[in-house]
Amino acid sequence: MSKVVIPIHPTKDAEKAGAMQGASKQRKREAPKGRRVDPQALAEVQALLGDAPRTADMLIEHLHKIQDHYKALSAAHLAALAQELRLAQTEVYEVATFYHHFDVVKENEAMPAGLTVRVCNGLSCEMAGAQSLLDRLPALLGAEVRVIAAPCIGRCEQAPAVVVGQHGIAQADLVKVEAAVQSGQLSAEVGHYMDYAAYQAQGGYALLKECVSGNRELESVLRTMEDSGLRGLGGAGFPAGRKWRIVGAEAGPRLMAVNIDEGEPGTFKDRFHLERDPHRFLEGMLIAAWAVGIADIYIYLRDEYHACRAILEQELVRLRTEPPIANMPTIHLRRGAGAYICGEESAMIESIEGKRGIPRLRPPYVAQVGLFGRPTLQHNFETLFWVRDILEKGGAWFGAQGRNGRKGLRSFSVSGRVKNPGVKLAPAGITIQELIDEYCGGMADGEVLYAYLPGGASGGILPASMNTIPLDFDTLQPHGCFIGSAAVVVLSERDSAVNAARNLMHFFQHESCGQCTPCRAGTAKASALIAQVHWDLPLLAELSTVMRDASICGLGQAAPNPVDCVVKYFPHELNPVNQ
């Protein structure tokens, strides 16, 4: 039997093996990178998203849909969402883990309790007994309810404030919270407000129609805004009329971003006005859009304002259904997710674009390169709230409202040891003593003024002896403070400036975005230093200088203010380490 010899062709065999290996590599490249997407999770995400756009800027909105429905964000749902939006899973994960209100559940981790109770531990609520609630509620409510400390939730006049699900509780105590949990009262309560029909019946949107029809000239409107002296009431204080001219001079298309993310501890004025008269703000916003030539408007609302969101969603539908003018700009309502840093204009813009709220380096400024790379008019809610009154009554009217040589009106958010806390519409330049006596009914019974915060957590702390300083832009800086968004927190003689500074620095540490080392490490180091009985004053002074000089944005630059003010104005409370 002859032996069969099979010829060997090295070249052809190598080519065949190479082709098979190449095909294998190609198949591997075609497979999705990272976690494989679970078909059921993908179907669930697709059902939740419905026909909503699958664009990257909608990432945070879609994360909210999943979180609201499933009470948490599982790894499977995050992977499915990444595939739907054609994003890398790492992009989705880093955004989801950046914001405090998203609960990301890792593989093999237990889901969080079905109900979350948030107890505000901001300064005003801490003074009103929030810590006692945090200590006692977990045992009272049981393991089925998660009780967590939350940074300021914008209800400082209701201290101590608690949110059960989305239901806010004012002057909360154990009985009120337990009753809300047991009754299942978890939704936000929308109170009475002036809706679209009622606003129109009182002359609303007539001014907007005059502007669009040409009955009011653009130059006249711009001059009136400039003559009024209205400055940005979110805290920066940039002249509003000048900002309209600057952005209007940029090449189109131009966009608009409205900041209603008032996360500054002590601030709640925007919520107060929005819950009562939303269309006064919306008309001012549309007039600004007309004056600057805005194509699209993005309203950024903090997630804690559930009732405000319900109001805006309803009223924006009415505006779209029965628009007061033709060719009205498209209005997008975007939902924050629990990040104080997004009150900074460029961080807010990053968040609107579906990213982490990380402040941008400047220049360029948002007026030139803002949302989606376009020139952007950025305004705070209250700034736009005043537009209608100013244009109807005149710039001179608004400018004449001030006191002690200052111009305009301010919505002061007053909380703490006063008899009647709340939003006080008062002349710019009023003093703290005048504000307490004339607008707050005086100090609360038995309380004596000891100290006050003129501008929220980052505005510094002043002693009662400095109670004649006009509260306005530019008047407080010589004393190491600023007015910011006019969040006034009043301390009495039973309070401590040292403890207030500890509370505020803990807040800054918690809310630092972590982008720059001076802020990320500085707030943590300062918090640890002032937690000590004996303060190392030279080291704190050096740390303050570094944070002010080297931090990227206002959070890190202003975070040392409370500590520096304690050292300067309340030395009797300190035990320096070198004593």
Side-chain angles (χ1 to χ4, degrees):
M1 185 175 180
S2 61
K3 185 176 181 180
V4 177
V5 179
I6 300 175
I8 299 174
H9 301 283
T11 304
K12 291 182 180 180
D13 288 348
E15 289 175 354
K16 183 178 180 181
M20 292 175 65
Q21 186 177 16
S24 176
K25 285 183 178 180
Q26 181 64 28
R27 283 195 295 272
K28 287 181 181 179
R29 282 195 295 268
E30 288 172 354
K33 295 181 179 180
R35 176 183 299 276
R36 295 296 182 107
V37 175
D38 177 70
Q40 181 178 344
L42 180 60
E44 291 169 346
V45 168
Q46 289 172 337
L48 279 178
L49 268 53
D51 59 358
R54 265 61 166 176
T55 52
D57 63 290
M58 294 294 289
L59 172 58
I60 294 172
E61 294 295 305
H62 295 333
L63 287 170
H64 275 302
K65 290 179 182 178
I66 299 172
Q67 170 97 12
D68 289 346
H69 187 81
Y70 292 101
K71 309 304 180 186
L73 300 171
S74 67
H77 283 144
L78 291 179
L81 182 60
Q83 178 167 307
E84 274 295 286
L85 302 187
R86 303 184 67 82
L87 295 172
Q89 292 182 25
T90 52
E91 292 180 79
V92 174
Y93 183 81
E94 72 176 7
V95 170
T97 54
F98 178 85
Y99 295 93
H100 302 313
H101 290 183
F102 291 140
D103 294 312
V104 177
V105 179
K106 298 178 182 178
E107 209 166 4
N108 300 321
E109 278 188 348
M111 294 285 285
L115 176 61
T116 297
V117 172
R118 300 180 187 274
V119 180
C120 178
N121 65 350
L123 179 57
S124 299
C125 289
E126 182 183 82
M127 291 163 58
Q131 190 56 52
S132 175
L133 290 174
L134 283 166
D135 293 339
R136 300 172 65 185
L137 279 174
L140 178 67
L141 301 179
E144 297 300 316
V145 178
R146 179 177 59 162
V147 178
I148 61 174
C152 184
I153 58 176
R155 296 175 176 270
C156 314
E157 86 282 23
Q158 303 171 7
V162 172
V163 177
V164 178
Q166 295 187 353
H167 174 66
I169 300 177
Q171 288 83 46
D173 57 26
L174 298 176
V175 175
K176 289 182 180 179
V177 176
E178 184 180 28
V181 171
Q182 290 181 348
S183 69
Q185 191 175 4
L186 310 179
S187 300
E189 288 188 358
V190 177
H192 176 75
Y193 68 92
M194 188 177 295
D195 64 12
Y196 188 34
Y199 184 73
Q200 286 182 307
Q202 295 188 14
Y205 293 106
L207 177 62
L208 173 65
K209 292 174 183 177
E210 288 180 18
C211 293
V212 173
S213 66
N215 290 336
R216 282 185 182 253
E217 294 183 355
L218 174 59
E219 182 58 31
S220 172
V221 168
L222 293 175
R223 279 201 308 269
T224 300
M225 291 298 296
E226 290 169 334
D227 292 345
S228 72
L230 178 67
R231 297 171 65 171
L233 299 178
F238 193 87
R242 191 192 311 171
K243 183 183 286 189
W244 291 13
R245 286 194 188 275
I246 290 172
V247 180
E250 296 289 328
R254 294 174 287 275
L255 304 176
M256 186 174 182
V258 181
N259 190 341
I260 320 181
D261 192 61
E262 56 173 359
E264 182 75 14
T267 309
F268 48 91
K269 61 183 176 63
D270 295 351
R271 173 186 61 78
F272 175 86
H273 290 306
L274 185 50
E275 288 178 343
R276 289 158 178 80
D277 195 0
H279 285 278
R280 187 168 299 272
F281 145 70
L282 291 171
E283 184 172 12
M285 178 185 77
L286 290 170
I287 290 170
W290 161 79
V292 179
I294 298 297
D296 283 76
I297 301 171
Y298 291 79
I299 300 174
Y300 189 83
L301 178 69
R302 72 178 305 197
D303 192 33
E304 291 86 347
Y305 288 176
H306 306 294
C308 291
R309 186 169 65 253
I311 290 170
L312 278 177
E313 287 173 346
Q314 182 168 298
E315 296 308 308
L316 287 176
V317 168
R318 291 173 176 171
L319 269 183
R320 296 185 191 107
T321 304
E322 302 176 44
I325 57 172
N327 302 317
M328 196 172 71
T330 303
I331 304 172
H332 310 264
L333 179 60
R334 293 297 173 86
R335 180 178 172 186
Y340 166 71
I341 190 63
C342 290
E344 196 275 340
E345 62 176 7
S346 65
M348 175 188 67
I349 284 172
E350 289 286 298
S351 189
I352 292 172
E353 293 180 356
K355 306 170 188 173
R356 295 175 298 160
I358 300 292
R360 298 176 179 177
L361 292 171
R362 287 169 286 191
Y365 296 94
V366 300
Q368 299 147 334
V369 182
L371 263 172
F372 308 113
R374 301 307 310 162
T376 302
L377 177 67
Q378 188 276 332
H379 267 313
N380 169 259
F381 170 93
E382 193 194 355
T383 310
L384 297 169
F385 188 82
W386 284 112
V387 168
R388 177 184 169 187
D389 277 334
I390 289 172
L391 293 180
E392 286 183 342
K393 300 176 183 178
W397 164 82
F398 186 78
Q401 301 302 311
R403 189 179 291 188
N404 297 315
R406 310 306 297 176
K407 291 184 176 182
L409 290 167
R410 294 295 299 266
S411 297
F412 291 89
S413 304
V414 185
S415 62
R417 310 289 189 192
V418 295
K419 187 168 292 184
N420 301 314
V423 172
K424 311 299 178 181
L425 187 58
I430 194 171
T431 68
I432 185 62
Q433 197 64 58
E434 293 168 337
L435 186 62
I436 293 172
D437 293 343
E438 299 175 29
Y439 289 85
C440 301
M443 295 290 290
D445 293 341
E447 305 289 2
V448 177
L449 179 64
Y450 174 65
Y452 66 101
L453 282 65
S458 48
I461 309 174
L462 292 173
S465 59
M466 300 176 68
N467 63 346
T468 59
I469 302 171
L471 299 178
D472 197 16
F473 296 114
D474 310 320
T475 60
L476 292 157
Q477 280 85 337
H479 307 286
C481 299
F482 58 80
I483 186 92
S485 58
V488 178
V489 184
V490 178
L491 281 62
S492 75
E493 289 185 343
R494 66 164 151 152
D495 300 309
S496 159
V498 165
N499 288 338
R502 286 169 176 158
N503 176 285
L504 301 174
M505 190 57 71
H506 176 75
F507 170 82
F508 290 130
Q509 178 186 356
H510 182 265
E511 294 298 320
S512 173
C513 75
Q515 178 181 195
C516 66
T517 302
C519 179
R520 180 185 66 249
T523 52
K525 181 66 174 177
S527 189
L529 286 172
I530 66 174
Q532 304 301 314
V533 174
H534 301 283
W535 284 20
D536 189 333
L537 300 185
L539 183 55
L540 281 168
E542 184 179 357
L543 185 60
S544 173
T545 300
V546 171
M547 292 175 68
R548 293 180 188 282
D549 291 347
S551 294
I552 289 175
C553 81
L555 193 159
Q557 294 162 11
N561 282 345
V563 175
D564 290 350
C565 284
V566 169
V567 173
K568 184 175 182 179
Y569 298 118
F570 303 90
H572 56 281
E573 289 194 30
L574 298 178
N575 293 303
V577 72
N578 54 4
Q579 274 191 345

